[in-house]
Amino acid sequence: MKGLLLLNESVFLNRSLYEEAERHYSLRVAVDASSNPISSEINKIRDQINAGIGGDSVQVNELINRLNQVELENKQLRSTLEKMENRLAQLEGGKPAVAGAPAAPPKAPAKPQNDDDFDLFGDDDEDDEEKKRITEERLKAYNEKKSKKPALVAKSSILLDVKVWDDTTDMNALEQAVRSVQMDGLVWGTSKLVPVAFGVKKLQIQCVIEDEKVSTDVLEEKICEFEDYVQSVDIAAFNKI
């Protein structure tokens, strides 16, 4: 009867499979514990607390304090690790990953610039018009300034020698006759009597004329019209002013 019961029990027949499964489980637990030394340390402390609950209370408190310290160090290590990961991401050109933050939507591709919107010669035309306007304004200002500036009048300084017939000629009457010649652009200056010979003197008189208004030939003719006093008229000096 017992033999029949043993034949019906699959545990006994599959003993090698159960032992192999138990061995794999123990190995995995050992690997997990060794991969995280802090978790392993916490588990050991917990086991010690459970084993010493019935023992000395002082020892229990010491174990609890040690457990709290280990958990605090674990949190600090995790925080430091997260900071290092964020820093590494920044150095590599990326942004630190934030837990729970939604992923940023991809940027839309830049719209290509239409060739029809690009004016190749628009700026050049505007620059040319601006330069033309500035040039016209400067020319206008220059012409206005030039028109306001008085034009230069060409003038000449002349020294005339008026010779008489003889020593009986009234020299004062001669000078008055010469100064009586009036023309637009003629200004008489100083005069003096210069001895010639045998008591005969000549009248030397200075005048200023505007070249465009007074001709020296016309001036000499007008002086020579006084035949009672004047024998001849010569230009002793002629200078442009």
Side-chain angles (χ1 to χ4, degrees):
M1 188 67 180
K2 292 183 178 180
L4 293 174
L5 292 175
L6 291 175
L7 290 175
N8 292 330
E9 290 292 336
S10 60
V11 175
F12 180 78
L13 297 177
N14 296 329
R15 179 178 180 182
S16 60
L17 295 177
Y18 282 103
E19 290 179 351
E20 183 69 18
E22 185 177 1
R23 186 177 64 82
H24 282 290
Y25 174 75
S26 301
L27 181 61
R28 183 169 183 178
V29 170
V31 170
D32 292 339
S34 61
S35 61
N36 192 348
I38 296 177
S39 300
S40 177
E41 184 70 17
I42 293 174
N43 292 330
K44 289 180 181 180
I45 294 173
R46 291 184 187 277
D47 294 340
Q48 291 178 4
I49 292 174
N50 292 329
I53 289 177
D56 192 0
S57 60
V58 176
Q59 186 177 3
V60 172
N61 292 331
E62 182 180 356
L63 292 174
I64 292 173
N65 293 334
R66 184 177 176 186
L67 177 62
N68 294 333
Q69 183 179 1
V70 171
E71 289 181 349
L72 179 61
E73 291 177 355
N74 189 17
K75 291 181 180 180
Q76 292 177 351
L77 288 174
R78 290 181 180 275
S79 177
T80 304
L81 181 60
E82 290 179 358
K83 291 180 180 179
M84 292 178 67
E85 290 178 352
N86 293 335
R87 182 59 178 169
L88 180 60
Q90 292 177 358
L91 292 176
E92 291 178 351
K95 293 184 178 179
V98 180
K107 294 183 179 179
K111 183 179 179 181
Q113 186 176 5
N114 191 0
D115 294 338
D116 297 337
D117 298 336
F118 181 70
D119 189 1
L120 183 60
F121 302 101
D123 295 339
D124 294 340
D125 294 340
E126 294 179 359
D127 293 341
D128 293 340
E129 292 178 359
E130 183 68 16
K131 290 179 181 179
K132 185 177 180 181
R133 183 184 64 81
I134 294 174
T135 302
E136 291 177 353
E137 290 180 355
R138 290 180 178 177
L139 287 174
K140 183 178 179 181
Y142 173 75
N143 292 329
E144 291 178 356
K145 184 178 180 181
K146 186 177 180 181
S147 61
K148 294 179 181 179
K149 186 177 180 180
L152 295 176
V153 179
K155 296 181 180 181
S156 300
S157 176
I158 303 175
L159 183 64
L160 299 174
D161 282 346
V162 182
K163 298 177 182 179
V164 297
W165 296 104
D166 52 27
D167 58 349
T168 60
T169 303
D170 188 354
M171 303 301 293
N172 292 329
L174 172 62
E175 182 177 354
Q176 291 178 3
V178 172
R179 290 183 181 275
S180 66
V181 178
Q182 299 294 326
M183 300 174 64
D184 185 17
L186 171 64
V187 178
W188 293 106
T190 59
S191 64
K192 64 179 180 178
L193 299 176
V194 179
V196 179
F198 306 105
V200 179
K201 297 179 180 180
K202 64 180 179 179
L203 175 65
Q204 198 170 68
I205 187 170
Q206 189 174 12
C207 66
V208 176
I209 64 171
E210 295 182 11
D211 296 343
E212 293 183 356
K213 296 180 179 181
V214 180
S215 171
T216 56
D217 294 336
V218 175
L219 180 60
E220 290 178 7
E221 290 177 0
K222 287 183 175 293
I223 294 174
C224 289
E225 290 177 357
F226 302 103
E227 297 178 352
D228 294 340
Y229 305 108
V230 180
Q231 178 187 6
S232 63
V233 178
D234 298 324
I235 296 177
F238 188 97
N239 297 313
K240 291 287 185 179
I241 299 177

